[in-house]
Amino acid sequence: MEQHGVKLQKSGMAAKMIGNFIGNLVAAVIMMRLIQRIGITDVAHGLRLGAGVGIGFSATAITIAYLWESKPFKVWMIDVSYYVLGCLLLGVILSAWH
C-alpha cells in the first residue's frame, strides 16, 4: 500500500501499542529514579527536571534526526512539542506522586 509516495507497511497495531507502552514505562521509571536520586520533593522542581529532560534529550535527539531526514519545520515542531510536553507532565506527575 502506498500513500503520498510512502510505502505503508501492514503491521499490527497491537505490537505498536505494546512497544509504545514499554517505551513510556521505561521513560517513567528512569524519570522516577532521577527524581529520587536528585531529591526532588515539589512540583516546581519536577517541572524543571521535565523541561530539562524534554529539551535536553528528547528535543535534541529529534532535531538531529530531522536534520538528516529533511522533514518540514511544522512536522518537527509537532513532534518536539509532543515529547517535551510528555516529559513536562511526567516530571510534574511523578514529583507530585513521590
Side-chain angles (χ1 to χ4, degrees), residues 81-93:
S81 299
Y82 173 80
Y83 287 107
V84 170
L85 181 62
C87 288
L88 286 169
L89 291 174
L90 192 57
V92 167
I93 291 168

Side-chain angles (χ1 to χ4, degrees), residues 59 62-63 66 71-85:
I62 292 170
T63 299
Y66 271 67
K71 290 188 178 178
F73 179 73
K74 288 181 183 180
V75 175
W76 174 82
M77 281 297 294
I78 291 167
D79 285 348
V80 166
S81 299
Y82 173 80
Y83 287 107
V84 170
L85 181 62

Side-chain angles (χ1 to χ4, degrees), residues 39-58:
I40 291 176
T41 57
D42 61 295
V43 173
H45 284 95
L47 184 66
R48 288 180 62 194
L49 177 65
V53 169
I55 295 168
F57 295 109
S58 298

